Amino acid sequence: MSRKIIISFSIVLAIITSLFVIFNFMLFPKKYKANVNFYAEKYNLETGLVYAVIKTESNFKTTAKSPSGAMGLMQLMPSTAKWIAKELGVTYDENSLYDYDTNINFGCYYLRYLFDRFDYLDVVICAYNAGETVVKNWLNEDGKLIEDKISFSETKNYLKKVKNYYRVYGINEIGE
């Protein structure tokens, strides 16, 4: 191969790699990195999972509010957040759910709470979306999720999205 072809190929490869990095950064941001890292470590969670939940729930919009009333980055229901605040011994104000630090703290606390109750990632993800009481009806005797029993199409889609984003954010963590 001639030297010109090798140089041209190297330049094209560098451009493609740069575009991939930029594209990946835009589609899968890591906003609030210090907060995510801090609370993921505090509650013994993988940052990739926290980012996947935030991406799925609000796409990193601190002011997000669902039709059901879930609020903030990690889309916490006010009643759940009130319970978490009591558990953590902090003052609760519903508007604080729009504060990224509070929301990430409460969301990570809730994920840890669910992991302490259920043994499997799929169950935790479904419980985060549909609630732990509902999810108990979708488990076999070993506590594993029976996907055919998931009665909410939203939860089925949510599970797929979070797991896909989790894979992407997990890959993005390599080498950091």
Side-chain angles (χ1 to χ4, degrees), residues 32 35-36 38-39 42-43 50 54 62 71-78 80-82 84-86 88 90-110 128:
Y32 318 108
N35 305 81
V36 169
F38 178 80
Y39 292 115
K42 180 177 180 177
Y43 297 114
V50 178
I54 293 171
T62 58
M71 301 168 66
L73 287 173
M74 296 185 77
Q75 289 290 279
L76 294 162
M77 292 299 289
T80 302
K82 187 176 182 179
I84 292 168
K86 186 177 179 183
L88 293 174
V90 298
T91 307
Y92 174 73
D93 171 16
E94 190 172 292
N95 288 326
S96 67
L97 291 178
Y98 293 125
D99 172 71
Y100 64 88
D101 185 70
T102 299
N103 198 282
I104 294 168
N105 182 15
F106 285 17
C108 288
Y109 178 90
Y110 190 52
Y128 193 93

Side-chain angles (χ1 to χ4, degrees), residues 16-174:
I16 290 171
T17 302
S18 297
L19 289 173
F20 176 77
V21 169
I22 292 167
F23 178 73
N24 197 29
F25 179 77
M26 289 172 57
L27 282 181
F28 303 101
K30 289 187 173 182
K31 296 179 181 179
Y32 318 108
K33 192 171 187 171
N35 305 81
V36 169
N37 288 344
F38 178 80
Y39 292 115
E41 184 176 331
K42 180 177 180 177
Y43 297 114
N44 194 27
L45 301 167
E46 291 183 48
T47 58
L49 176 61
V50 178
Y51 281 120
V53 170
I54 293 171
K55 172 84 173 154
T56 305
E57 290 286 356
S58 69
N59 200 24
F60 294 90
K61 294 179 188 137
T62 58
T63 58
K65 187 168 186 177
S66 75
S68 63
M71 301 168 66
L73 287 173
M74 296 185 77
Q75 289 290 279
L76 294 162
M77 292 299 289
S79 58
T80 302
K82 187 176 182 179
W83 170 79
I84 292 168
K86 186 177 179 183
E87 291 290 308
L88 293 174
V90 298
T91 307
Y92 174 73
D93 171 16
E94 190 172 292
N95 288 326
S96 67
L97 291 178
Y98 293 125
D99 172 71
Y100 64 88
D101 185 70
T102 299
N103 198 282
I104 294 168
N105 182 15
F106 285 17
C108 288
Y109 178 90
Y110 190 52
L111 282 169
R112 171 47 45 206
Y113 166 82
L114 292 171
F115 270 111
D116 290 345
R117 268 136 198 78
F118 302 107
D119 293 329
Y120 301 100
L121 176 65
D122 288 7
V123 180
V124 168
I125 293 169
C126 288
Y128 193 93
N129 178 259
E132 63 182 296
T133 304
V134 172
V135 167
K136 288 178 182 178
N137 296 319
W138 303 339
L139 306 179
N140 67 16
E141 60 279 348
D142 296 326
K144 290 184 180 178
L145 185 68
I146 304 169
E147 289 196 37
D148 292 343
K149 282 193 167 189
I150 300 174
S151 55
F152 302 151
S153 60
E154 177 192 331
T155 302
K156 286 180 184 180
N157 292 331
Y158 181 83
L159 176 62
K160 288 177 190 172
K161 281 183 182 180
V162 172
K163 286 177 73 173
N164 285 333
Y165 291 150
Y166 186 28
R167 282 185 200 99
V168 171
Y169 279 110
I171 289 168
N172 286 343
E173 287 179 356
I174 295 171

